[in-house]
Amino acid sequence: MWDDVEAPEPSDRRSLFFKAMTGRETAAVSGNKSESILDMLKTVAHRPNGTVDTKRAAQELGVSQRTIQRWVKGTQKPNLQHGKTLKKKSRQVASTKAGRKKAIQESLKGSRKRMAQRGAKITVKGMQGVSGTNSMGDDYKRLRSATLNLTPDQMQDLMHAYAETGDRGIGEYLEKLYSDNYGAGQWNMKWISDINLKEI
């Protein structure tokens, strides 16, 4: 089950956390070469229905709306400079406080609205557990999957922590939640390989 799991690279972690917090599964925020032009455009100028707001994308990237429409259709690709700008702008949606805040605000109008109102079930996979060792010297942290039910306030606080401080904020808030809920000491998340949020 865990044989192929290892600590994610920072760019992959950024993508994982952004997708979990916003519900935008096709978001392209890692800056990796494998990300498609369409997914980067959807990230920069996202509409609640998952399409590209071509007018907003044109403003963000300094090109015409017609050019963006051709990129969306795949009949034209960005030149080298526009490609670099697109990659930078899509990465900044998750790597800057302003980008994360805007994405969280948009998600609260769409995919994460009900979770913020009703709470959510969160499952975190990765190297985690109570800090310390047992009498045999074995570390309590191990590869595991841990699940909690979040109240609406906790869900909103989690999204706020992510918007304000990004990856670090989400990690610290999750450690606090799991410490409070498991009650066996300070919960430590050495690294996270997956976060799954579901409506309650």
Side-chain angles (χ1 to χ4, degrees):
M1 174 171 112
W2 293 97
D3 293 341
D4 60 346
V5 177
E6 54 186 49
E9 295 293 323
S11 61
D12 294 331
R13 185 179 61 233
R14 180 187 321 125
S15 182
L16 165 75
F17 290 170
F18 183 83
K19 289 175 181 181
M21 291 298 98
T22 64
R24 289 163 55 176
E25 289 301 317
T26 62
V29 296
S30 70
N32 293 337
K33 291 181 180 180
S34 62
E35 294 177 329
S36 76
I37 292 166
L38 180 59
D39 287 344
M40 286 188 281
L41 286 168
K42 286 179 183 177
T43 303
V44 171
H46 176 78
R47 281 192 174 134
N49 65 2
T51 61
V52 177
D53 181 337
T54 57
K55 183 176 181 181
R56 191 167 113 205
Q59 292 168 344
E60 289 278 340
L61 300 167
V63 297
S64 72
Q65 187 173 3
R66 186 71 190 122
T67 297
I68 296 293
Q69 290 166 347
R70 287 192 293 268
W71 294 355
V72 168
K73 289 178 185 174
T75 58
Q76 181 183 341
K77 291 185 178 182
N79 65 28
L80 184 62
Q81 186 56 47
H82 288 136
K84 286 180 181 179
T85 302
L86 176 57
K87 187 176 281 194
K88 178 182 175 185
K89 293 272 189 184
S90 69
R91 188 177 60 244
Q92 287 175 337
V93 171
S95 65
T96 66
K97 186 175 181 177
R100 290 188 303 270
K101 280 186 167 185
K102 187 174 185 179
I104 290 295
Q105 288 171 349
E106 289 173 354
S107 73
L108 287 170
K109 295 175 187 170
S111 64
R112 295 299 185 241
K113 181 178 181 178
R114 287 182 18 172
M115 288 182 189
Q117 293 171 337
R118 298 179 184 172
K121 178 184 261 188
I122 186 169
T123 301
V124 178
K125 295 179 182 177
M127 180 66 77
Q128 59 185 320
V130 177
S131 297
T133 57
N134 63 20
S135 60
M136 305 280 289
D138 297 325
D139 195 340
Y140 290 123
K141 289 188 295 292
R142 66 176 193 267
L143 290 173
R144 70 173 82 207
S145 177
T147 301
L148 289 176
N149 286 332
L150 304 178
T151 66
D153 286 343
Q154 289 170 329
M155 182 64 195
Q156 292 169 29
D157 288 347
L158 178 62
M159 295 175 83
H160 178 75
Y162 173 69
E164 288 294 318
T165 53
D167 299 357
R168 183 175 50 83
I170 199 172
E172 290 173 359
Y173 188 73
L174 286 172
E175 283 182 339
K176 179 187 178 316
L177 277 178
Y178 279 78
S179 295
D180 292 347
N181 282 277
Y182 280 96
Q186 177 61 42
W187 195 267
N188 180 271
M189 294 186 174
K190 187 171 181 181
W191 49 264
I192 297 170
S193 61
D194 191 33
I195 298 176
N196 187 319
L197 284 162
K198 292 184 177 176
E199 291 181 19
I200 294 180

